[in-house]
Amino acid sequence: MNTKTLWYILKRIALALLTVWVVITVTFFVMRAVPGGPFLGEKAISEAAQAALEAKYGLDKPLMEQYITYLKDIVTAFDFGPSLKLRGRQVMDIIMDGMKVSAKLGLIAACIALVVGVVLGAVAALRRNKAIDKIIMVFTTACISMPSFIMGTLLLLVFALQLAIVPANGETAKGLILPIITLSLSPMANITRLTRSSMLDVLGQDYIRTARAKGVSQMNIIFGHALKNSLIPVITYFGPMLAYIVTGSLVVEQIFAVPGIGRYFVSSITGRDYPLIMGTTIVLATLIVIMNLVSDIMYKVVDPRINLE
Amino acid sequence: MKKNPFSLHVNLDDFAPASEAEKAYMVQMRPSTTFFKDGMKRLLKNKIATISMIVIILVTLAAIILPVFWPYSYDTMLGVRPGRPVDSSYNNLAPFEFGETELERMAEGEEIFPHVFGTDSAGRDYFIRVVYGTRISLSVGFFASIIVLIIGMTVGSVAGYFGGKVDLIIMRIVDIIYSLPDMLMVILLASVLKQSGLNAAIEGTVLEKLGGNIISLFIIFALLYWVSMSRQIRGQILSLKEQEYVLAARATGAKGSWVITKHLLPNCISVVIISTCLQIPSAIFTESYLSFLGLGVNAPMPSLGSLASDALNGITTYPHRLVIPAVVISLIVLSLNLFGDGLRDAFDPKLKN
C-alpha cells in the first residue's frame, strides 16, 4: 500500500465521520424545529405537566446545550436517551432488539443476492445473446422496476395467502423466507447486471485470449481469470446494496410483520416518538456510511489502478 | 501537356475547370442531419425504446384526458346521497358490478357507465382513482426531475466552469450530501415537514389539494437529489471548457455566464436529457415509497403508492385492488427506464457499454 492509497483512505474516513456528524446534526435540529415540541398532539395535558415532562427529558434547556449533551451521549455511550412512547425503555435497547432480527434478515438477503446475482450474471455473460441471457435480462429488468413494497405484497398475496406455502407472519423462521426473497430480488438483479457487463468486458481482454491461446481449459479461464477480475466492480455495489436493504426492510418488515428495527422506525414515525426516530435514523445512516466507506476502500485496495479522485 | 519532371512549374491540369461528372460526384446525396434528427433516427431504430416511448405517451395521455369525460370522480363516494342514509351496496364492488340504485335505474332501461375496476371500501370508482393516482405519480416524477435539473445544472456548471476554490467548496458539499443515506433523510424530513407549518402556508392555493407531504417531497428533492446531476454536468463542463471555441469566446470578451449558457450547457444537453429522464422513475419510486409509509399525498387524493398501501387491508378479498396499481407503477417505471436507456444509446453513444 503506497502513501497515496493511505492518504485516500484517511480522506475517505474523514469524509465518513463528517457525514455521520452532519446526519446527527441535521436529525437533531430538524426534530427540534417541529413546532410545538414532541408532546403536542397527545391527549390534552396541563401546562404544568408539560413543563414537568420537558424538564424530565431535558427539553427546557437552551438548544445548543441540548445539542452538545445529545452529541456527547452518543459519542461516549451510544446513548440516545429514553423513548417517549414505549415508556421506560431506552432507544438504544429498542434498536438493539430490532437489530437482532433485522441484521439476520438483511445479511441473509445480501448473501443470497450476491451468490445468485454473480452466478446469473456470469451465466448471462457466457451465454451472451442466447435465450438464457435474454431470460435473465428480462427477469432482472422486471425486478429493478418494481418497488420493494409492491414486490413484497405481491409475494405475500401469491405465496402466503393464495397458495399458503409459507406463513404470512414474519415472526417465525419459516415466515422470514418471503421477506428475505423480497429484500434480495432487487440487489440480486443489480448484481447480475453489474457482473454481466464487467464479465463481458473482461472476456474481451487480451489476457483471456492469451490464456485461450495457451490452451487453458474453459473452466480454468472462467474461474481462474475472468470471474475474479469481473467481480471488482461488484464491490462498489456493497454500499448501495446495504442502503437498499435498510430502506427496503422498513416496508418489508411492515408488510410481513417482522419484529425488526424497520417496524419500530415506521411506528415511531406515525407515533411521533422523536428520540426513537432520531436514534434509528442515526444508527442506520451510520451503518450505510460505514458500508460505503468499506466498499470504497476495498475497491481501491483490490485494484490499485483505479483512480477514485 | 508534357512536363519536365524536375520543373517547378505547377501542373496546369490541376487547375482545369471540373467536368460535369466530377461536379455530380460532389453533390450531396441527402441533406445533412441535425444532432436531434440523427439521435431520433437511432432512437426509433431501437424497438424496445420506441415501444416504451409509446407506452409512456399513452399512459400520460390517458392520465390527462380520461378524467375529463369519465362520469365518476376520484373523491365521490357513490353510496353517499344527500338527505338519505349511506347506501353501502356501493362499497367494495367487484369489477363491472353495480350498486343497488344503479341496478334499479338499469331495470328502467337507463344506460349506466360500468365501474371497470369496481369500487373501493368507501364506494369510490376505482378506475378513476387509479387514473388520478397515475396522474399524481407522473406529475410528481416530472416536477421533481425539473427541480433536480435546474439546481443540479446551475451548481454543476458553476463548479465546473469557475473551478478552483468555488469548485472545491461545492464539491465537498456535494460529497457530503452524496454520502447521506437519501431515503432515511427523506423519511425524516417528510415526517417532520408533515408536522410543520407547511400546511397552513399553502392553504387556499392549488398546492393545498396535493398536500404538504408532496410539497415536502419536492423540497427534499431540491435539497438532496441534485448532487448526482451536478456531478455529471461538472464533469462534462470540465472537459468542454478546454475546447477552442470556449477560448475563442473568452478571447473576444465573453463573460462567464454567457459562456456557460450559450456555449457549455447546450453541449451538455444530451447528458442533461438522459439523466432527467432516468430521474423521473426514481422520483416516482420515492413518492410511492413515502405514500406507502403514510407520508405521501393527502387523502382523498390518491397516488399509486397510497392505492397499493390502502389495498393491503383487504388483500385477501380484493386482490385486484393491489395488483392494478402495482402493475401500473411497474409499467411506468419499466418503460421510463428502458426509454432512458434508449435515449442514452441514441444521443450519447459514447456512454454505451
Side-chain angles (χ1 to χ4, degrees):
Chain A
M1 206 184 296
N2 53 18
T3 40
K4 222 177 143 192
T5 317
L6 210 65
W7 186 234
Y8 168 78
I9 293 175
L10 282 178
K11 240 166 82 180
R12 211 43 208 77
I13 291 175
L15 181 68
L17 287 176
L18 193 63
T19 311
V20 171
W21 173 76
V22 168
V23 169
I24 296 177
T25 312
V26 167
T27 10
F28 180 85
F29 284 105
V30 157
M31 281 299 167
R32 289 295 187 277
V34 181
F39 300 109
L40 200 80
E42 270 187 292
K43 294 174 295 212
I45 46 174
S46 67
E47 297 241 323
Q50 177 147 357
L53 271 174
E54 281 183 357
K56 185 184 167 199
Y57 292 110
L59 295 173
D60 52 345
K61 299 200 186 78
L63 199 60
M64 272 329 272
E65 202 186 317
Q66 287 182 41
Y67 171 63
I68 289 168
T69 327
Y70 190 72
L71 207 57
K72 215 164 80 189
D73 282 351
I74 294 176
V75 174
T76 54
F78 293 115
D79 182 14
F80 294 100
S83 160
L84 292 184
K85 300 290 145 102
L86 302 160
R87 289 279 147 75
R89 292 195 68 189
Q90 291 291 313
V91 168
M92 203 55 206
D93 296 341
I94 300 174
I95 293 176
M96 277 303 151
D97 271 3
M99 265 304 190
K100 275 180 208 146
V101 183
S102 296
K104 197 164 67 182
L105 196 72
L107 276 179
I108 299 176
C111 290
I112 291 178
L114 203 60
V115 173
V116 180
V118 167
V119 171
L120 284 184
V123 169
L126 291 171
R127 297 273 176 276
R128 187 186 187 179
N129 289 336
K130 300 261 172 58
I132 182 121
D133 177 29
K134 289 196 174 132
I135 293 170
I136 290 175
M137 289 325 274
V138 168
F139 175 65
T140 51
T141 316
C143 287
I144 291 172
S145 307
M146 229 188 269
S148 53
F149 69 89
I150 287 196
M151 208 129 61
T153 38
L154 289 180
L155 285 176
L156 177 82
L157 184 65
V158 174
F159 292 102
L161 301 174
Q162 305 281 351
L163 301 175
I165 308 174
V166 281
N169 192 305
E171 269 157 18
T172 55
K174 215 178 161 193
L176 285 180
I177 295 174
L178 282 185
I180 287 173
I181 293 177
T182 313
L183 277 183
S184 62
L185 276 178
S186 173
M188 184 210 75
N190 275 314
I191 289 176
T192 306
R193 296 175 137 238
L194 261 176
T195 315
R196 180 181 178 270
S197 68
S198 79
M199 186 95 167
L200 284 178
D201 191 39
V202 169
L203 284 175
Q205 297 285 328
D206 287 343
Y207 60 83
I208 297 290
R209 198 188 305 158
T210 311
R212 285 232 164 85
K214 284 197 308 186
V216 181
S217 72
Q218 177 74 1
M219 276 295 146
N220 221 332
I221 286 177
I222 295 170
F223 290 101
H225 298 266
L227 198 58
K228 231 166 40 188
N229 283 314
S230 56
L231 288 184
I232 294 172
V234 176
I235 296 173
T236 50
Y237 185 63
F238 283 1
M241 174 163 77
L242 187 81
Y244 175 87
I245 288 181
V246 165
T247 45
S249 71
L250 300 188
V251 289
V252 168
E253 288 178 10
Q254 188 81 352
I255 294 167
F256 294 99
V258 179
I261 192 169
R263 233 176 79 191
Y264 286 119
F265 189 46
V266 174
S267 63
S268 71
I269 291 172
T270 36
R272 293 200 280 163
D273 189 345
Y274 293 121
L276 191 52
I277 300 182
M278 285 158 78
T280 18
T281 312
I282 292 167
V283 168
L284 292 179
T286 311
L287 264 181
I288 294 173
V289 169
I290 290 174
M291 199 61 209
N292 275 325
L293 174 74
V294 170
S295 80
D296 270 8
I297 292 177
M298 264 169 74
Y299 191 47
K300 180 85 180 172
V301 172
V302 169
D303 192 348
R305 290 170 307 170
I306 293 156
N307 185 14
L308 286 157
E309 294 307 300
Chain B
M1 199 161 77
K2 257 241 151 121
K3 184 170 160 256
N4 180 354
F6 298 107
S7 151
L8 285 172
H9 283 168
V10 289
N11 184 0
L12 287 179
D13 281 349
D14 290 346
F15 293 89
S19 69
E20 285 304 313
E22 278 168 337
K23 278 184 192 162
Y25 180 71
M26 296 302 287
V27 169
Q28 269 184 336
M29 292 312 285
R30 60 169 189 208
S32 66
T33 64
T34 61
F35 169 72
F36 181 73
K37 266 193 209 155
D38 190 38
M40 278 312 278
K41 214 172 72 195
R42 254 176 297 181
L43 184 67
L44 291 175
K45 258 190 210 154
N46 184 342
K47 263 188 215 132
I48 298 175
T50 317
I51 294 172
S52 325
M53 190 170 73
I54 294 170
V55 169
I56 297 166
I57 292 173
L58 284 182
V59 170
T60 316
L61 284 181
I64 295 171
I65 295 170
L66 278 181
V68 176
F69 66 85
W70 204 257
Y72 307 108
S73 119
Y74 72 92
D75 58 350
T76 315
M77 299 181 194
L78 297 168
V80 178
R81 297 153 304 170
R84 273 189 283 176
V86 174
D87 183 354
S88 62
S89 69
Y90 280 97
N91 298 353
N92 298 325
L93 287 180
F96 291 103
E97 268 187 0
F98 293 97
E100 270 169 25
T101 46
E102 277 178 342
L103 286 174
E104 283 167 23
R105 274 157 62 199
M106 279 168 82
E108 288 164 15
E110 204 178 324
E111 285 265 327
I112 302 262
F113 203 84
H115 306 292
V116 182
F117 291 159
T119 57
D120 67 1
S121 56
R124 294 174 291 210
D125 188 72
Y126 202 63
F127 182 84
I128 199 67
R129 283 183 72 73
V130 171
V131 172
Y132 254 91
T134 313
R135 194 190 238 196
I136 297 292
S137 294
L138 278 177
S139 42
V140 166
F142 183 74
F143 286 113
S145 310
I146 297 290
I147 293 172
V148 168
L149 170 73
I150 292 170
I151 298 178
M153 210 158 80
T154 319
V155 176
S157 50
V158 166
Y161 183 76
F162 291 104
K165 269 192 189 132
V166 182
D167 184 35
L168 195 76
I169 294 168
I170 291 181
M171 287 331 278
R172 285 300 84 78
I173 296 172
V174 166
D175 277 347
I176 292 174
I177 296 184
Y178 197 78
S179 44
L180 285 179
D182 46 359
M183 247 347 178
L184 289 174
M185 290 290 117
V186 167
I187 296 171
L188 181 81
L189 289 178
S191 63
V192 167
L193 285 169
K194 197 180 175 184
Q195 318 290 337
S196 67
L198 203 64
N199 284 325
I202 56 168
E203 213 176 306
T205 59
V206 199
L207 299 174
E208 194 190 355
K209 249 192 173 167
L210 271 179
N213 284 331
I214 293 303
I215 310 300
S216 44
L217 188 73
F218 287 148
I219 295 176
I220 290 155
F221 267 88
L223 285 176
L224 295 180
Y225 279 67
W226 52 270
V227 284
S228 57
M229 172 77 86
S230 72
R231 269 189 174 178
Q232 283 177 9
I233 304 273
R234 172 181 171 268
Q236 197 77 3
I237 299 259
L238 276 182
S239 67
L240 282 176
K241 78 171 180 184
E242 304 300 328
Q243 307 268 332
E244 274 84 3
Y245 62 83
V246 176
L247 185 66
R250 280 159 81 177
T252 49
K255 273 184 292 196
S257 60
W258 175 269
V259 175
I260 290 179
T261 52
K262 291 285 164 184
H263 294 290
L264 296 180
L265 285 182
N267 282 300
C268 301
I269 203 77
S270 56
V271 175
V272 170
I273 292 175
I274 293 158
S275 45
T276 310
C277 193
L278 291 172
Q279 186 72 53
I280 297 176
S282 111
I284 292 178
F285 250 56
T286 313
E287 186 276 329
S288 65
Y289 184 87
L290 287 178
S291 287
F292 191 81
L293 290 179
L295 297 167
V297 286
N298 281 5
M301 187 63 98
S303 89
L304 290 173
S306 71
L307 287 174
S309 117
D310 289 345
L312 264 186
N313 293 328
I315 187 172
T316 32
T317 342
Y318 314 107
H320 69 275
R321 271 196 226 148
L322 172 70
V323 174
I324 293 166
V327 167
V328 174
I329 205 167
S330 309
L331 190 71
I332 293 176
V333 172
L334 180 66
S335 28
L336 277 169
N337 274 331
L338 291 175
F339 179 63
D341 285 347
L343 266 186
R344 188 189 53 207
D345 294 349
F347 283 90
D348 207 347
K350 276 178 292 179
L351 290 176
K352 195 174 180 180
N353 45 9

